[in-house]
């Protein structure tokens, strides 16, 4: 018995499939979505790939990206829906939740916080990216991994491991990435597109965001760094919301900082909070307190309130976690 037996069985049995991933999609969501869609197409199936939100410009080079639909009106019925890289059903977006006949749900994910919303659940928290699991699925289903699929799955692993820097960059992640390179993914070509291709407005916005830096010393040489980005800053820079992706890493990157946080204003008295840890603090645990999800070193959620209220609530939760981690 392999962990993909049931998923492969569903894929073989059905004919018409939907593949979905989470709102605000990033590299792993898009790469694993397209990898999965292409794999099912390779099995001769009829496949619809759906994302609620638009694909950020930097991922517009991914093979198959133009086949992604952003609405599901009149779609279906489907024999099954393959959900990738998504820990909660609600995060698949309104369009999916409104769908009458999604069929059985095959939930393929690597978030430890996954609530197993599928009829079939393949949850592997040790996997660096959902893209890794899609690659494993291909092997289990004896699907040939084409160059187009290799590029998508490589991008999924590359981005979710922070360019192979995080603890999630396991030997397996490197081995699979190496195999994907053999299958046609070109590392420099892909890096150039993903990391060396930023619009100037990102730098204008970054300048404003860095000027909001606040450091909070918790004693025990543990420090928290926060950055804030407001709707007004987005307007001034002429920037769209996903252009701030990755800014939180500037907070974590500071010497002695244990947890980096980015508060992004998303509406009146509403903030999206991104947490990044580089010490013993499990930010997924902090995120759970506020109804969010994520990984040990990277997590996020949305919170209502003024910036002062939001900051105070989270600081308190983090303070508890930092002290628990330091066993004070
Ligand atoms: Mn992921």
């Amino acid at each position: 018995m392999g962990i993909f037996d049931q998923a492969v069985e569903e894929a073989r049995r059905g004919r018409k499939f939907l593949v979905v991933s989470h709102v605000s999609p990033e590299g792993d969501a898009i790469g694993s979505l397209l990898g999965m869609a292409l794999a099912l197409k390779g099995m001769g199936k009829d496949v619809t790939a759906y994302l609620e939100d638009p694909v950020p410009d930097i991922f517009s080079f991914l093979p198959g990206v133009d086949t992604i639909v952003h609405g599901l009106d009149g779609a279906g019925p489907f024999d099954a829906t393959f959900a990738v890289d998504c820990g909660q059903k609600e995060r698949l977006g309104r369009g999916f939740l409104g769908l009458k006949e999604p069929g059985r749900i095959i939930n393929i994910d690597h978030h430890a916080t996954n609530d197993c919303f599928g009829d079939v659940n393949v949850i592997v928290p040790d996997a660096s990216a959902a893209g890794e699991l899609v690659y494993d699925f291909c092997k289990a289903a004896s699907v040939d991994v084409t160059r187009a699929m290799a590029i998508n799955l490589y991008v999924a692993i590359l981005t979710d491991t922070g360019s192979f820097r995080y603890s999630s960059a396991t030997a397996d992640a490197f081995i699979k990435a190496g195999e994907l390179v053999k299958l046609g993914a070109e590392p420099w070509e892909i890096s150039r597109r993903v990391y060396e291709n930023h619009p100037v407005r990102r730098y204008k916005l970054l300048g404003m965001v860095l000027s909001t830096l606040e450091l909070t010393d918790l004693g025990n040489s543990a420090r928290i760094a926060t950055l804030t980005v407001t709707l007004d800053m987005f307007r001034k820079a002429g920037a769209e919301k996903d252009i701030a992706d990755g800014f939180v890493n500037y907070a974590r990157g500071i010497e002695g900082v244990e947890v980096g946080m980015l508060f992004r204003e998303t509406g009146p008295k509403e903030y999206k909070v991104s947490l990044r840890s580089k010490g013993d603090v499990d930010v997924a645990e902090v995120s759970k307190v506020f109804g969010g999800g994520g990984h040990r070193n990277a997590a996020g959620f949305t919170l209502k309130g003024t910036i002062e209220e939001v900051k105070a609530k989270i600081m308190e939760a983090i303070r508890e976690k930092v002290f628990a981690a330091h066993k004070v």
Side-chain angles (χ1 to χ4, degrees), residues 22 26 28-29 85 109-111 128-130 160 295:
H22 60 78
E26 15 68 327
D28 188 24
D85 195 40
D109 187 32
H110 68 130
H111 293 90
S128 68
D160 252 24
H295 305 287

